[in-house]
Amino acid sequence: MSKRIATDGVDIFVEHGFGDLRRARDGQAPIHEVVSDYLRYLNWEPDDDFPSSLRLRQYPESVSVVIDPRFGHGRPVVAANRVAVNAITDLWEAGESVEDIAYDFDMTPEQVDELCRAVVRLAA
């Protein structure tokens, strides 16, 4: 297991140096500008040989969203509070204010707004 593994949701890529990505199955180098926005990287705990979570890069940097097998049953969760993304967006879609949601989940209103906008953008 390498600590430089990424996926675009279709293929697995291994980083062989400074930005040198190669597709695992055949060693083909992708056009980095094309796949960079879709790459998702594994997160590792210090002194652990297994990845702990997968950061989803399609969400804003201000709200780190991960898939962590310890939380959310494989669904995306906010890394800081381990709340499922759909729990937040369901409240937003039901008409709860951004401020109330932020208060409930120890987030800023800007983070809630950016997260909900990203989910709408992904769904489109």
Side-chain angles (χ1 to χ4, degrees):
M1 191 62 85
S2 170
K3 293 190 178 185
R4 295 180 309 254
I5 294 176
T7 180
D8 64 352
V10 177
D11 289 308
I12 304 244
F13 295 92
V14 179
E15 188 177 313
H16 289 282
F18 298 105
D20 180 27
L21 285 175
R22 300 290 172 160
R23 191 164 51 194
R25 68 180 152 100
D26 59 9
Q28 182 176 351
I31 299 171
H32 193 59
E33 294 80 15
V34 173
V35 299
S36 65
D37 286 339
Y38 299 99
L39 291 179
R40 298 173 286 190
Y41 286 89
L42 298 172
N43 297 317
W44 301 79
E45 294 294 330
D47 301 324
D48 197 348
D49 292 333
F50 299 99
S52 60
S53 62
L54 174 67
R55 183 176 178 280
L56 302 177
R57 288 193 52 190
Q58 62 265 44
Y59 292 94
E61 297 238 353
S62 63
V63 187
S64 182
V65 174
V66 298
I67 293 177
D68 187 327
R70 300 169 295 179
F71 309 102
H73 305 288
R75 291 182 307 218
V77 298
V78 175
N81 58 15
R82 300 177 180 139
V83 172
V85 169
N86 69 333
I88 295 168
T89 58
D90 286 352
L91 289 172
W92 181 72
E93 289 174 345
E96 286 285 329
S97 74
V98 170
E99 291 78 13
D100 287 345
I101 297 169
Y103 178 80
D104 289 344
F105 295 115
D106 197 26
M107 298 171 70
T108 67
E110 294 78 22
Q111 288 174 319
V112 172
D113 187 57
E114 288 181 32
L115 179 65
C116 292
R117 288 179 190 277
V119 169
V120 168
R121 198 171 42 252
L122 290 170

